Amino acid sequence: MPLLPFSSPLLRRFDRWAGPALAVAALGLLLLETRRPLRRRIRPRPERWLRNALVAAPSLPAMRLTLLPAMVGLAKAWAPRRPVLARLPAPLRLVAEVLLLDYLGYTWHRLLHAPLLWRLHRVHHSDLDMDLTTAWRFHFGEMLASIPWRAGLPALLGVRPATVLGFEAVFEACTAFHHSNWRLPFAVEHQLVRVLVTPRTHGIHHSQVQRETDSNFGVVLTLWDRLHRTLRLNVPQQALTIGVPAYPEAAEMTFPRLLALPLEPLEPWARPDGSVPARPEPTGLLHELVP
C-alpha cells in the first residue's frame, strides 16, 4: 500500500459523496450569508472573492493530492500496529477517534499561531473581511506542513483511515460554516456555541486585537477552548476589525505577494504606523456570547 494512494477506494468515495455534499453546503452558506450578513463588509466582494479563489487554486489541489492521500495511506500502514483504540467497543472507539481528531485540529491551529507556522497562516488571517471564501484562503504550504500533524499523528495513535477521512469532511464543512458571514438567530447560536464553533465565535478569532486572535482555536467543538481556557465570546461582532494589523491595505496584498508572504520577515502585531489595536475588556462574562 503506497503512503500516498491518490485513487484508493476511500478517496474515490470521498470524491463521489463528500465533494458534492460540501459544494451544496457551500452554496447554501453563500445564500444565507448574502441574505442575512453578520458583519458589515469593508471591501468589495468581487475583489476579495477573486483573490481568495486564486489563493485556493493551488491550495485545494494540494490538499487532495497530498494531505488526503497521506491520511489514508499512513493510517492503513500504521494504525493496525497501534491496538489501543482497537480494544474499545465499536461505538466507543468511533467517539474516541472523533474526539482525538478534533483535539488534534485544535492543537494544530494553536501551532499555526506560533512564529514559524504563522508565516504560512497569516495568509489566511490577512483577509480584511471574513466570509465563506475566507475558509478556502489558505496557503498551499500550510496544507503540506499539516501532513505530519493531521495525517501522521492520527495514524500513529491508531485512528482508522475511514474515520480520518470521514472526519475530514466534517472538518471542512465546519470550517466553511464558522467562517461564513451568516447571522444566525442569536437564540439559536447562543445554544449552538455550547457545543460547536459558530460564525460569531470564529469572527472573534479573526480580530485585530491580539488577545482576541489568541482565542477560539476550535474547529468543530468548543470543548477544547473551554478546557484550555482559550474561549472568548463576549466581543460584539460590530466592534470587530478583521485582519492582521500589519497588513491594512488590500491593494498591497496581491495574489503574488500572498504566495510569497511566508518568505517575508515576521511583522510585529502593530499597524504600519506602530499603533497597536486595542479595546477595553468588554463587560459581561468571558464565555457568554453577545450579539
Side-chain angles (χ1 to χ4, degrees), residues 131-151:
D131 62 14
L132 175 66
T133 66
T134 312
W136 305 322
R137 180 183 164 129
F138 289 96
H139 196 280
F140 71 89
E142 183 175 327
M143 294 295 175
L144 300 178
S146 71
I147 291 173
W149 197 270
R150 296 189 55 220

Side-chain angles (χ1 to χ4, degrees), residues 37-43 128-130 181 183 237-240 242:
L38 175 58
R39 293 170 295 271
R40 294 186 299 270
R41 284 196 303 274
I42 304 300
R43 304 298 306 173
L128 297 178
D129 280 305
M130 181 174 152
N181 194 32
R183 179 183 292 275
Q237 295 296 303
Q238 298 309 322
L240 293 174
I242 302 294

Side-chain angles (χ1 to χ4, degrees), residues 224-259:
W224 315 117
D225 280 301
R226 295 181 190 279
L227 290 177
H228 287 280
R229 300 182 179 180
T230 53
L231 186 68
R232 178 179 289 274
L233 302 177
N234 63 341
V235 183
Q237 295 296 303
Q238 298 309 322
L240 293 174
T241 301
I242 302 294
V244 177
Y247 310 112
E249 299 297 332
E252 295 179 3
M253 304 307 290
T254 62
F255 172 58
R257 187 182 180 193
L258 288 170
L259 280 186

Side-chain angles (χ1 to χ4, degrees), residues 26-289:
L27 180 59
L29 288 168
L30 174 62
L31 294 173
L32 288 165
E33 71 176 12
T34 300
R35 292 178 61 87
R36 291 181 54 85
L38 175 58
R39 293 170 295 271
R40 294 186 299 270
R41 284 196 303 274
I42 304 300
R43 304 298 306 173
R45 265 183 165 183
E47 169 199 281
R48 290 186 50 259
W49 284 7
L50 175 60
R51 190 167 298 160
N52 291 354
L54 288 172
V55 174
S59 177
L60 295 180
M63 179 179 68
R64 175 57 182 85
L65 295 175
T66 60
L67 177 59
L68 297 188
M71 286 177 168
V72 174
L74 293 176
K76 281 185 175 291
W78 297 346
R81 306 175 193 176
R82 305 294 188 274
V84 175
L85 289 174
R87 297 189 182 119
L88 298 174
L92 188 57
R93 180 181 184 181
L94 179 60
V95 170
E97 288 176 332
V98 168
L99 288 174
L100 178 60
L101 290 168
D102 195 44
Y103 186 63
L104 289 175
Y106 169 87
T107 53
W108 172 246
H109 195 178
R110 292 198 71 169
L111 287 172
L112 287 171
H113 284 252
L116 178 62
L117 291 172
W118 177 248
R119 289 176 172 273
L120 294 163
H121 195 52
R122 61 183 168 173
V123 172
H124 173 66
H125 271 266
S126 62
D127 200 350
L128 297 178
D129 280 305
M130 181 174 152
D131 62 14
L132 175 66
T133 66
T134 312
W136 305 322
R137 180 183 164 129
F138 289 96
H139 196 280
F140 71 89
E142 183 175 327
M143 294 295 175
L144 300 178
S146 71
I147 291 173
W149 197 270
R150 296 189 55 220
L153 278 181
L156 287 172
L157 294 169
V159 181
R160 293 166 292 181
T163 310
V164 177
L165 208 56
F167 180 80
E168 181 61 22
V170 175
F171 183 100
E172 292 178 27
C174 288
T175 299
F177 167 63
H178 64 235
H179 280 93
S180 72
N181 194 32
W182 174 24
R183 179 183 292 275
L184 282 81
F186 182 73
V188 172
E189 189 162 349
H190 188 267
Q191 295 301 318
L192 199 60
V193 77
R194 298 176 186 276
V195 179
L196 298 177
V197 180
T198 64
R200 285 181 172 91
T201 312
H202 202 68
I204 295 168
H205 176 72
H206 278 254
S207 167
Q208 288 194 15
V209 177
Q210 189 165 19
R211 71 165 180 265
E212 295 165 6
T213 304
D214 292 336
S215 69
N216 301 353
F217 294 100
V219 179
V220 179
L221 303 174
T222 55
L223 170 65
W224 315 117
D225 280 301
R226 295 181 190 279
L227 290 177
H228 287 280
R229 300 182 179 180
T230 53
L231 186 68
R232 178 179 289 274
L233 302 177
N234 63 341
V235 183
Q237 295 296 303
Q238 298 309 322
L240 293 174
T241 301
I242 302 294
V244 177
Y247 310 112
E249 299 297 332
E252 295 179 3
M253 304 307 290
T254 62
F255 172 58
R257 187 182 180 193
L258 288 170
L259 280 186
L261 195 59
L263 303 177
E264 291 188 12
L266 290 175
E267 300 285 351
W269 194 269
R271 301 184 184 98
D273 64 5
S275 61
V276 177
R279 159 184 13 264
E281 185 68 47
T283 59
L285 297 175
L286 187 68
H287 297 170
E288 188 67 23
L289 190 69

